[in-house]
Amino acid sequence: MNRGIWRLQIIVGSLITALGPASSAGVFKNQFIEFETPERWSCALEGTEYVCQDTRPEFQREAIIVLAAKLRGEQDSLTAYRDYLSRPREFKAPNGKRITSRPLKVSSVVINGLTWITSIHEESEIPGFRTHYFATVRDPIAVLVTFSIRTSRYGAVMPKFETMISTLKIKYRK
């Protein structure tokens, strides 16, 4: 009987070694928020915002996540966010051209017990990209997360972002 268990352990050990370590998503955490990231993604503080991207150079130009959190001000409310994210946004592209975004959808969603205002805009942050905005407040902070995807890669990248979005958690409490 012990010989059978020993053989099973060898077989299982060999399979684990042959298959290599299981791939898993990472987790981004700071003092305000946490969420799962896909494999080969990393996040770094750039000025006052965290920027997350695929670490592989060939995929860095297809999607980007930007996270901003601040102390909540009088203007920070779900109603104000809904109003703001319902309107087209204007910005100047790097080539100097003025671009006006096209809001595609605005709604409320509950993620892990917290209500977020979400909006999808065509060309609001980067020309040729579709951006999903997620904004919420939880005293004493306000949080905005943007998920931007190159329009031509939207179908391939959005499923990764949906997993990330479903794991959004605000950690900061009074």
Side-chain angles (χ1 to χ4, degrees):
M1 187 77 158
N2 286 342
R3 191 175 211 169
I5 291 172
W6 182 75
R7 280 180 150 174
L8 181 61
Q9 287 174 335
I10 290 174
I11 292 169
V12 170
S14 298
L15 282 173
I16 290 171
T17 302
L19 295 174
S23 61
S24 63
V27 176
F28 169 79
K29 293 181 185 181
N30 69 12
Q31 71 266 33
F32 301 110
I33 192 169
E34 74 178 61
F35 57 88
E36 289 183 17
T37 60
E39 285 185 80
R40 297 179 297 272
W41 275 66
S42 69
C43 302
L45 184 61
E46 293 188 10
T48 60
E49 302 167 331
Y50 281 89
V51 176
C52 306
Q53 285 183 291
D54 197 308
T55 58
R56 298 168 294 177
E58 66 271 24
F59 294 109
Q60 287 182 344
R61 293 183 174 251
E62 71 178 30
I64 187 169
I65 300 166
V66 178
L67 163 72
K70 66 178 187 105
L71 289 175
R72 184 178 180 179
E74 290 180 18
Q75 74 284 2
D76 294 308
S77 71
L78 296 180
T79 302
Y81 293 161
R82 178 183 291 279
D83 180 57
Y84 180 74
L85 292 172
S86 297
R87 296 187 305 245
R89 299 189 49 180
E90 287 190 22
F91 70 98
K92 189 183 288 190
N95 65 4
K97 181 181 173 188
R98 304 267 327 142
I99 296 178
T100 301
S101 74
R102 223 171 16 109
L104 303 176
K105 178 182 177 184
V106 179
S107 61
S108 298
V109 63
V110 176
I111 304 170
N112 295 311
L114 188 62
T115 301
W116 295 74
I117 300 302
T118 180
S119 178
I120 303 170
H121 281 240
E122 199 72 51
E123 295 198 332
S124 63
E125 298 290 330
I126 308 167
F129 280 65
R130 184 175 289 173
T131 299
H132 288 244
Y133 294 89
F134 286 81
T136 194
V137 290
R138 181 170 177 189
D139 281 333
I141 63 168
V143 176
L144 174 67
V145 184
T146 64
F147 297 86
S148 297
I149 306 167
R150 181 175 302 283
T151 305
S152 63
R153 298 285 298 143
Y154 189 81
V157 176
M158 193 57 205
K160 293 177 188 178
F161 278 7
E162 287 170 349
T163 298
M164 296 166 74
I165 291 163
S166 72
T167 64
L168 284 170
K169 293 179 189 163
I170 300 296
K171 297 176 10 177
Y172 196 90
R173 294 178 190 230
K174 274 192 199 181

